[in-house]
Amino acid sequence: MNRKIRIGIAGAGQMGIAHAQAFAAHGADIVGIADSHAERAKNLAQTFGAAAFGSVAQLLEMGLDGLSICLPHSLHFDAAMKAAENRVALLIEKPHCVTLDESRALRAACTRHGVVAMAGFTHRFLATSRRLKAAISSGRFGRIDLAVDRLIAGSLTAATPTWYRQRTLAGGGIAMIGMIHSIDRLRWLLDSEITSVTALTRQSDSTADVENTALALLEFANGTQASLIAHRSPVAGHERAHHYEIFGEHLNASCAIGSFAHQQLRFVGSADAGCETVTDDQPFLTEIQEFTSALVSGKSVSPDLMDAEIALGVVLAIYESAKTRQPISTREFIGDLSIKK
Ligand SMILES: NC(=O)c1ccc[n+]([C@@H]2O[C@H](COP(=O)([O-])OP(=O)(O)OC[C@H]3O[C@@H](n4cnc5c(N)ncnc54)[C@H](O)[C@@H]3O)[C@@H](O)[C@H]2O)c1
């Protein structure tokens, strides 16, 4: 492709703005913005000299190479299907869909129309995640016995999008919007599939109808066991903090992500001890570079819709386990899965 790629953004909220900035930094032409909130669409469109629309269908009429979907979760599927039918490449924020049926239908449509589709698992593109992935892939950890992941999400405030509190639009609470990143990152880091899920959830924030606590125990095909905690306290003012640890046979790692702009990765082990602080990371730039280069070259993209379906399936298995108080086999629950190991 010799010309600039033509990108549309669906959703001019916090992620739509971040995606638009990253696409522009890579030299893409942001041609149109769709948001049902007319003022938001107009403001973001003005910044990039783009056209503003009230709906994704109108935006698609412009003729796009790629569409970035940054909408409330339950609206992703319809927007993505419309784009796939128009043979427009997709970058879809997580969770890409809210049910497995939607996910399967979208995957089938993308295959049918030859559409490149990438899921927005930004945590794979954090500098600390990539350093850790390289260390694990080089074999420095040996066997990995345990992973522990703890996400304390920021308070819901007046500035938080109201749909974060609503099951019909969000599809779920902290597991669906936050823990899903940890699930995808662990699968990717360990290069192994999750085979079983045992979970508890709790909804104690009276201003929301979604869970604000999720606890999950995961077993991986390679034998690793993991404990994941995600919580959003209803107390105003508590700050976001994300911390995870990997315990191996020869090496341990501990990673703290206060914000994307402040990450710390520490290795503990006789030969490989060390600590690194990252303050200049721009994971959205790296993520969108992956998407734009796949779009231009036609090569496969990662994370793809199968990665997205598995992470969504594990979140839904967490909800099922919490409801039934039983462990859930992901092979039985998610079904049509190519379990890797
Ligand atoms: N990758 C990350 O690190 C990260 C971080 C935060 C959020 N997210 C994801 O980004 C996505 C968007 O979240 P957000 O925080 O930007 O939300 P947001 O509320 O800030 O933005 C969503 C926008 O969609 C618009 N909208 C709602 N209904 C619409 C419709 N029918 N048609 C067109 N526009 C409509 C809203 O007016 C709003 O401007 C979600 O999937 C969320 O999980 C990802």
Side-chain angles (χ1 to χ4, degrees):
M1 202 184 284
N2 295 325
R3 57 176 175 79
K4 280 184 159 194
I5 55 172
R6 290 167 60 79
I7 295 294
I9 308 281
Q14 48 189 357
M15 270 316 104
I17 294 169
H19 281 211
Q21 288 168 342
F23 273 112
H26 285 303
D29 199 359
I30 316 274
V31 293
I33 311 285
D35 199 301
S36 52
H37 190 296
E39 196 67 19
R40 270 185 221 157
K42 195 176 107 203
N43 288 344
L44 190 58
Q46 264 172 2
T47 310
F48 295 101
F53 301 97
S55 75
V56 175
Q58 292 168 321
L59 168 60
L60 285 166
E61 282 172 17
M62 287 193 88
L64 302 174
D65 296 311
L67 177 71
S68 183
I69 300 183
C70 303
L71 297 168
H73 303 158
S74 67
L75 307 178
H76 288 186
F77 173 68
D78 188 50
M81 286 297 277
K82 284 193 171 80
E85 281 153 16
N86 283 277
R87 295 189 159 72
V88 171
L90 285 165
L91 173 59
I92 317 180
E93 266 302 344
K94 33 54 61 176
H96 69 308
C97 293
V98 292
T99 70
L100 288 172
D101 283 347
E102 284 179 354
S103 178
R104 292 179 192 119
L106 178 60
R107 257 194 314 119
C110 288
T111 303
R112 199 165 52 247
H113 297 298
V115 164
V116 170
M118 178 171 163
F121 286 115
T122 316
H123 286 215
R124 289 195 190 194
F125 298 93
L126 291 170
T128 44
S129 306
R130 291 166 98 78
R131 301 238 211 309
L132 193 49
K133 175 74 175 165
I136 292 173
S137 303
S138 74
R140 283 166 61 198
F141 282 75
R143 184 192 66 243
I144 294 179
D145 294 317
L146 176 69
V148 178
D149 188 297
R150 179 180 182 271
L151 164 68
I152 302 300
S155 303
L156 292 174
T157 67
T160 310
T162 49
W163 64 266
Y164 277 39
R165 297 174 157 87
Q166 298 164 348
R167 183 164 297 278
T168 47
L169 284 168
I174 193 61
M176 189 65 95
I177 199 164
M179 190 183 271
I180 197 167
H181 276 301
S182 303
I183 292 164
D184 175 71
R185 187 183 45 220
L186 266 182
R187 264 190 82 231
W188 171 72
L189 283 175
L190 299 173
D191 194 22
S192 185
E193 291 300 351
I194 295 158
T195 53
S196 117
V197 174
T198 308
L200 294 173
T201 58
R202 185 150 193 249
Q203 181 191 329
S204 63
D205 180 347
S206 59
T207 70
D209 73 353
V210 292
E211 85 284 354
N212 59 319
T213 304
L215 309 173
L217 297 177
L218 308 180
E219 286 180 300
F220 287 77
N222 67 358
T224 305
Q225 296 174 326
S227 152
L228 275 59
I229 298 175
H231 180 60
R232 195 192 290 281
S233 164
V235 174
H238 79 266
E239 286 186 10
R240 186 185 184 285
H242 198 163
H243 187 228
Y244 68 94
E245 293 162 290
I246 307 276
F247 296 95
E249 191 182 356
H250 309 301
L251 191 65
N252 296 338
S254 155
C255 186
I257 310 164
S259 68
F260 289 172
H262 192 90
Q263 306 162 43
Q264 192 171 66
L265 179 61
R266 205 155 71 90
F267 288 104
V268 178
S270 49
D272 287 302
C275 182
E276 193 181 341
T277 301
V278 178
T279 54
D280 58 354
D281 198 15
Q282 299 197 58
F284 289 114
L285 279 186
T286 325
E287 179 181 33
I288 279 165
Q289 185 173 34
E290 166 87 13
F291 177 70
T292 50
S293 58
L295 204 160
V296 170
S297 67
K299 284 200 207 127
S300 61
V301 75
S302 175
D304 62 16
L305 289 187
M306 184 52 103
D307 294 311
E309 188 163 312
I310 294 171
L312 171 67
V314 172
V315 170
L316 297 174
I318 286 171
Y319 294 151
E320 183 67 12
S321 174
K323 195 169 76 188
T324 60
R325 302 271 165 161
Q326 296 294 323
I328 304 292
S329 151
T330 51
R331 194 187 285 268
E332 283 168 26
F333 187 79
I334 305 177
D336 176 26
L337 241 193
S338 49
I339 298 277
K340 276 199 272 181
K341 289 177 191 166

